[in-house]
Amino acid sequence: MMNILPKLLLLIALFFQSALVSADNNEITLLNLTNPQRSTGIQIGDVLKRSLTFETATPQQTITKALPAKGMRNDEVELIATNIELLKEGSKNQYKIELVYQVFNNATRTKVMALPAQTINITSNEKLSLPAWRFWFSPLVETSIFNAKANVQPQVKPPFIDNNQYAIGLKVFAGMLILSILGLIYVNADAKWLPFYKGNFSYAHKEIKQLSQSKLPDANSLKKAIFCLHMSFNKTYGNNLFANHLDDFISQHPRFKPLNNEIIEFFKLSNQTLFTNQIDNGHELMLKLLSLSKSLRNCERGV
């Protein structure tokens, strides 16, 4: 009985030793472990990254499932992201895992903190062991927040931009825009009640413009258009204007001289239409009267 007991104890010791050796063999050897470059001056909200490189035959999908869950906290340090990258394929694939942490400590004095020691159980036979990595946490304010508020400096206002160089250009372009709009109104408006729009030919052009809306003007419309122009000539001349008085009309109103030929042609056309009733193309004739009335209106306005 005394001989069996030492043998039994020796057997138990060998069993535990083999179990420890087997556990050590389950741990994957790290090819590279990279911790953050800076271990001092870490403040609240700072992001710290550590990466590790290793080899294993386990597929990437299995390793991804074994990674620690996002949002895990340890000593006011939260895991905010995990990434895995396949670096090399072969009989044993080479992987790189990146763990991203963020510091949320609100201590008011400098203290030592650490990225936690991490054990990643990839499979039942393989695991990764990461040691803790210590760093110095530096608070934004080393005293209470009340003292900090008393010493807060006002924010610097943004510098003013000198807009004088743009103001001159803006005024110039605004003036040009206003003059352009007024010019367009002056040239194209037909309202007789507006200032400078009470001219005789302005009224005639407005009437002929309304008569020309019909695609097939009849003889009465053409005669009305011709009478409107004759009435405008008579009012401008101050008397009934006939073809033999055109030179006198032009001498009294030289602003119509550029349209001398068109006016002579109008009187010929008027005699042909009113006294012979020969109308070849009523639509074309109406367009000629509309164009002539507009030209006379522009001359009347001095455009």
Side-chain angles (χ1 to χ4, degrees):
M1 185 68 180
M2 295 298 294
N3 293 330
I4 296 176
L5 185 60
K7 292 180 180 181
L8 183 61
L9 292 175
L10 179 61
L11 182 62
I12 294 173
L14 290 174
F15 175 76
F16 279 108
Q17 185 177 2
S18 62
L20 291 174
V21 171
S22 177
D24 291 339
N25 291 336
N26 288 341
E27 187 171 330
I28 299 176
T29 303
L30 296 178
L31 300 178
N32 184 40
L33 176 62
T34 304
N35 289 311
Q37 295 181 353
R38 184 165 54 94
S39 61
T40 58
I42 308 300
Q43 297 178 332
I44 183 171
D46 284 356
V47 175
L48 303 175
K49 297 180 182 180
R50 67 190 314 196
S51 62
L52 56 142
T53 306
F54 61 95
E55 288 183 346
T56 179
T58 304
Q60 182 174 342
Q61 185 177 3
T62 303
I63 301 175
T64 303
K65 292 180 180 179
L67 293 179
K70 175 183 174 181
M72 291 181 58
R73 278 204 179 194
N74 186 291
D75 192 20
E76 301 301 328
V77 175
E78 180 177 333
L79 180 66
I80 61 173
T82 58
N83 301 305
I84 182 171
E85 179 184 359
L86 177 62
L87 300 179
K88 182 180 177 182
E89 285 188 279
S91 57
K92 280 192 175 183
N93 298 329
Q94 187 176 111
Y95 296 98
K96 177 182 179 181
I97 293 178
E98 185 177 65
L99 303 176
V100 184
Y101 300 88
Q102 190 168 20
V103 181
F104 288 100
N105 197 308
N106 60 354
T108 58
R109 296 189 179 278
T110 303
K111 63 177 293 188
V112 176
M113 298 180 62
L115 297 184
Q118 194 85 45
T119 299
I120 303 174
N121 295 313
I122 296 177
T123 65
S124 58
N125 297 323
E126 291 182 318
K127 66 178 181 179
L128 286 170
S129 296
L130 302 179
W133 180 79
R134 289 177 173 77
F135 60 90
W136 282 93
F137 175 80
S138 299
L140 297 176
V141 181
E142 292 191 358
T143 55
S144 66
I145 192 66
F146 301 102
N147 292 334
K149 285 183 178 180
N151 293 282
V152 171
Q153 298 295 322
Q155 293 185 351
V156 178
K157 295 182 179 180
F160 291 102
I161 299 176
D162 184 12
N163 58 359
N164 291 329
Q165 54 181 337
Y166 306 106
I168 297 175
L170 180 62
K171 291 177 181 178
V172 171
F173 285 112
M176 292 174 62
L177 178 62
I178 293 173
L179 290 176
S180 300
I181 294 174
L182 292 177
L184 289 172
I185 295 174
Y186 183 77
V187 170
N188 296 292
D190 295 319
K192 194 174 180 180
W193 55 269
L194 291 172
F196 307 106
Y197 286 88
K198 296 181 180 180
N200 298 316
F201 292 105
S202 295
Y203 174 77
H205 177 66
K206 181 180 178 181
E207 293 295 323
I208 295 173
K209 193 174 183 180
Q210 292 179 353
L211 293 171
S212 65
Q213 299 299 322
S214 176
K215 293 183 179 180
L216 295 174
D218 54 12
N220 290 331
S221 298
L222 292 171
K223 289 181 179 180
K224 286 181 181 180
I226 292 174
F227 279 130
C228 283
L229 276 178
H230 275 296
M231 188 180 298
S232 299
F233 276 115
N234 294 338
K235 289 182 179 180
T236 303
Y237 184 56
N239 205 342
N240 292 332
L241 180 63
F242 299 99
N244 56 348
H245 297 150
L246 289 179
D247 292 338
D248 186 39
F249 174 79
I250 295 297
S251 63
Q252 292 184 22
H253 305 281
R255 61 179 179 272
F256 296 105
K257 189 173 181 180
L259 298 177
N260 186 39
N261 294 333
E262 287 82 351
I263 295 173
I264 294 174
E265 184 180 354
F266 164 72
F267 273 86
K268 291 180 180 179
L269 183 63
S270 173
N271 291 333
Q272 179 183 351
T273 304
L274 296 177
F275 298 107
T276 64
N277 291 327
Q278 295 180 2
I279 303 175
D280 297 332
N281 191 333
H283 182 67
E284 183 178 350
L285 177 57
M286 183 64 77
L287 292 179
K288 286 184 179 180
L289 294 175
L290 181 63
S291 177
L292 177 61
S293 64
K294 185 176 181 179
S295 299
L296 291 168
R297 183 200 65 177
N298 292 341
C299 288
E300 184 179 53
R301 295 177 179 176
V303 177

